Amino acid sequence: MEEQLRILKMLEEGKITAEQASEFLTALTPQKETEATSYEVAETERVNLEYDKRMVRIVVDSSEGDKVNVQLPVTAIRQILKVTGKLPAVSESLQGIELTEILDTVVDCLDAEAIGDIVNVESKNGDIVKVYVG
């Protein structure tokens, strides 16, 4: 760790280039650790890609007779949440259901790559909201 800090200090002072600093830092990393890290990164990326291809299903059945059934890949839901901050098909008119909490729960579960039921709510008015990953 101390050697790495010295290299970064030399870079900061302009005594070495960024390319040289990178080479020095790489040389300090044991080869076995580098190989293991590369494998772990590749495996993590593969698992993330598999999860991103899973489908998020959103089912809304309102007490007023509205029925919605949406099925989108995890990647699409993540992008929709990132851009709009809303889930598709979940109406803000559902009484007795706290949509902010649902959104927070969905985001947390997608970040944790949860599979199965994420949200399963039935209000006293008969509104039903289900979100799950399959």
Side-chain angles (χ1 to χ4, degrees):
M1 183 71 167
E2 189 175 313
E3 293 88 5
Q4 293 166 333
L5 290 175
R6 280 193 272 170
I7 292 168
L8 294 174
K9 185 70 172 167
M10 289 179 359
L11 175 63
E12 181 181 66
E13 293 171 351
K15 293 180 180 177
I16 59 173
T17 67
E19 187 175 299
Q20 289 171 320
S22 175
E23 289 174 13
F24 293 148
L25 291 170
T26 301
L28 287 175
T29 306
Q31 187 61 30
K32 286 184 180 178
E33 184 180 316
T34 302
E35 289 172 6
T37 303
S38 297
Y39 172 76
E40 290 169 4
V41 167
E43 183 65 15
T44 300
E45 288 175 357
R46 183 186 68 77
V47 170
N48 286 345
L49 284 175
E50 288 176 10
Y51 184 76
D52 284 346
K53 290 179 184 176
R54 289 186 174 273
M55 301 303 277
V56 175
R57 290 171 172 81
I58 303 168
V59 178
V60 179
D61 190 1
S62 78
S63 59
E64 297 171 356
D66 298 323
K67 295 183 185 288
V68 180
N69 192 352
V70 176
Q71 178 176 309
L72 292 168
V74 168
T75 305
I77 295 294
R78 285 181 173 169
Q79 288 300 317
I80 289 168
L81 286 170
K82 186 177 179 181
V83 172
T84 67
K86 297 179 183 178
L87 282 173
V90 177
S91 170
E92 293 184 19
S93 65
L94 295 174
Q95 296 178 2
I97 297 177
E98 182 56 51
L99 294 178
T100 305
E101 289 179 24
I102 290 175
L103 272 178
D104 291 344
T105 301
V106 170
V107 169
D108 290 345
C109 289
L110 292 179
D111 288 345
E113 298 188 355
I115 297 174
D117 286 353
I118 295 175
V119 176
N120 195 347
V121 178
E122 185 172 344
S123 74
K124 63 183 175 184
N125 297 341
D127 294 323
I128 297 171
V129 177
K130 293 181 183 180
V131 180
Y132 56 100
V133 178

